[in-house]
Amino acid sequence: MNSTAGNLGFRSAHSRSRQDALPSKLHDGSRIAVIGAGPAGSMFSHFLLNMAETVALDVSVDIFEPRKFCHRGPAGCNHCGGIVSESLVQRLATEGIMLPDDVVQRGIESYTLHMDVGDVEIATPLAEKRIAAIYRGNGPRNSEPTDTHSFDGYLLHLAQEKGANVVESLVTDVRRDDASMRVHCADQHSDSYDLVVVATGVNSRLEQTLADQTQEFEQPGRTKTFICEFHLGRKVIRETFGPSMHVFLLDIPRLEFAALIPKGDYVTLCLLGDDIDEELMDRFFGSPEVQKCFPGGEIPRHVCHCYPRINIKAARPAFGDRMVMIGDSGTTRLFKDGIGAAYRTAKAAAKTAIFHGISAKDFETHYAPMCNGINKDNQVGKLVFGFGGLVQKARFARRGVLRMTVHEQEQPGSSRRMSGVLWDLFSGSAPYTDVFLRTLHPAYIGSLLWNLVAGNMPGSSARNGRTSEEEVDHVRH
Ligand SMILES: Cc1cc2nc3c(=O)[nH]c(=O)nc-3n(C[C@H](O)[C@H](O)[C@H](O)COP(=O)(O)OP(=O)(O)OC[C@H]3O[C@@H](n4cnc5c(N)ncnc54)[C@H](O)[C@@H]3O)c2cc1C
């Protein structure tokens, strides 16, 4: 093999090399390798084949994916909370991707925020919009095979319908040789392609292998999270959790986000933060706010669990000559809406490859600006999470947030500024920059200041530390 290890094509778009002699556009007969059939890989394949059809370009796509999404438990699953925000459900629908009923495990209609100073249920801002809770695989270990259908399996099926071919192999290396990009698999299979799309997410060794070949590529930053599934049965879930996702604002260092998400017979728990470990989990499970969510105040044994990694820093660069990183392998939104970012990066990369070209310069001009937009928004996201951390630490601030939200929820038609901010933060429906700008509005600041004072006055329900069940009951219709 005449490979040029150390030069995977992650060079500056402005520096010229002999590889420029190779075709930098897709043509009839071009072959594309997509490594990974998570949402990014499958959506890329679907969009690319769709666009190729519209411009009468005859290309072929091989999707490499060793995982079988029909399996239950971790073997068939891409490990995530499975929340698809209402804005993404609608955007996918405009692309002709309608989530079938057997893929959507539950429509989430509200968030219930739990804090030590009380709880509040936040209804969906627009009554007709619902968040979808899905399973990435075919449900938890030992679940009933008929009850769940995989979201990732559904997207892969759409790509196959468009003509993509699935190769059930694990890719171990990608090398550039004089004529093409060569993809090597664990089963010794190897093949040449005109374009390689890396969509392996951050729970794979492949990007480390690429980073080992060249100093020009920095793989994405990642941190450990925790997910588990509780089997409670539909009836208990309906009575205790309702169609609500339960989120927690607790004074636990390193915990950025914790949620209980009802799905069919199960409830999924997700813990996101800075390297989730046993100590943090013990504190979480030991807190009364979490325990009281479960029947009898007792946390049952989980039936399935995993410690997946999440992307917290973009790959640099997320493209090279005839190579592009999409979804978590490239860039994603910090802690939220990873599936939405997979959709956006997949579409932008497919558009670039079909309508502009596949050189580093093409990706730098037409793909990188979208990734940079996500990365900049994540910087604002860090600021927003920083403020959230202050609220997490300061009890008086939690009282003010609780009071403001409860009052907004009690008054239909009021401008629900705090509720909207919290909703978009929990669901990932809006960019962090939008959320941040809304918190600078004088009406938001004025109302928050007033509620901080009123919520901490002697005699206020938040001040007395009463769980605001009366208020929550009042808000529940
Ligand atoms: C705890 C947790 C909760 C989350 N909750 C949500 C949520 O509720 N909503 C949301 O939108 N996002 C959520 N995310 C983020 C979301 O999971 C990711 O952003 C999303 O899965 C990225 O999609 P992807 O296609 O880029 O990568 P993945 O979904 O990771 O898919 C990568 C695919 O590549 C395959 N693969 C890997 N290596 C190889 C290889 N060498 N050869 C061939 N195939 C390979 C894998 O088998 C896999 O199928 C969560 C993440 C975590 C960790």
Side-chain angles (χ1 to χ4, degrees), residues 87 91 333 337 344 373-374 376-378 380-381 384 421 424-425 428-438:
S87 50
R91 211 174 300 167
R333 290 192 63 205
D337 193 30
R344 288 164 64 194
I374 294 179
K376 276 191 193 134
D377 190 56
N378 284 343
V380 181
V384 173
V421 163
D424 285 334
L425 264 186
S429 296
Y432 290 122
T433 310
D434 272 22
V435 174
F436 180 67
L437 290 176
R438 276 186 271 149

Side-chain angles (χ1 to χ4, degrees), residues 380 383-384 387 404 417-418 421 432-449:
V380 181
L383 203 64
V384 173
F387 284 128
M404 184 165 163
R417 295 182 189 278
M418 178 61 80
V421 163
Y432 290 122
T433 310
D434 272 22
V435 174
F436 180 67
L437 290 176
R438 276 186 271 149
T439 65
L440 298 182
H441 194 284
Y444 173 92
I445 294 172
S447 179
L448 179 58
L449 287 175

Side-chain angles (χ1 to χ4, degrees), residues 34-107:
V34 177
I35 311 175
S42 290
M43 286 197 265
F44 173 88
S45 307
H46 175 81
F47 293 137
L48 181 117
L49 288 166
N50 239 346
M51 292 173 196
E53 201 177 297
T54 59
V55 294
L57 186 66
D58 183 17
V59 296
S60 67
V61 172
D62 283 347
I63 306 179
F64 290 83
E65 176 59 66
R67 202 181 287 280
K68 290 190 174 61
F69 298 115
C70 56
H71 285 178
R72 282 170 286 146
C77 177
N78 269 331
H79 319 300
C80 120
I83 288 297
V84 183
S85 73
E86 68 271 33
S87 50
L88 181 58
V89 171
Q90 294 190 341
R91 211 174 300 167
L92 290 179
T94 63
E95 301 281 2
I97 303 178
M98 313 282 187
L99 300 186
D101 287 348
D102 59 352
V103 167
V104 178
Q105 297 302 313
R106 184 175 270 281

Side-chain angles (χ1 to χ4, degrees), residues 353-465:
I354 293 288
F355 296 110
H356 302 286
I358 52 174
S359 70
K361 187 160 175 40
D362 293 316
F363 287 119
E364 186 174 54
T365 310
H366 301 284
Y367 175 65
M370 201 270 310
C371 297
N372 295 341
I374 294 179
N375 298 340
K376 276 191 193 134
D377 190 56
N378 284 343
Q379 294 304 322
V380 181
K382 281 185 191 157
L383 203 64
V384 173
F385 283 114
F387 284 128
L390 293 179
V391 176
Q392 243 174 321
K393 284 190 184 64
R395 197 174 159 85
F396 83 95
R398 294 196 291 277
R399 288 190 191 120
V401 169
L402 177 70
R403 189 178 188 281
M404 184 165 163
T405 316
V406 167
H407 280 253
E408 286 176 0
Q409 293 294 314
E410 281 176 345
Q411 292 160 13
S414 67
S415 51
R416 298 176 165 185
R417 295 182 189 278
M418 178 61 80
S419 305
V421 163
L422 292 174
W423 181 275
D424 285 334
L425 264 186
F426 298 148
S427 68
S429 296
Y432 290 122
T433 310
D434 272 22
V435 174
F436 180 67
L437 290 176
R438 276 186 271 149
T439 65
L440 298 182
H441 194 284
Y444 173 92
I445 294 172
S447 179
L448 179 58
L449 287 175
W450 163 245
N451 280 287
L452 282 171
V453 173
N456 285 283
M457 300 253 272
S460 86
S461 61
R463 165 88 204 174
N464 291 340

Side-chain angles (χ1 to χ4, degrees), residues 200-213:
T200 52
V202 283
N203 290 287
S204 160
R205 282 198 49 76
L206 185 66
E207 283 191 296
Q208 177 67 58
T209 307
L210 301 184
D212 289 346
Q213 290 182 46

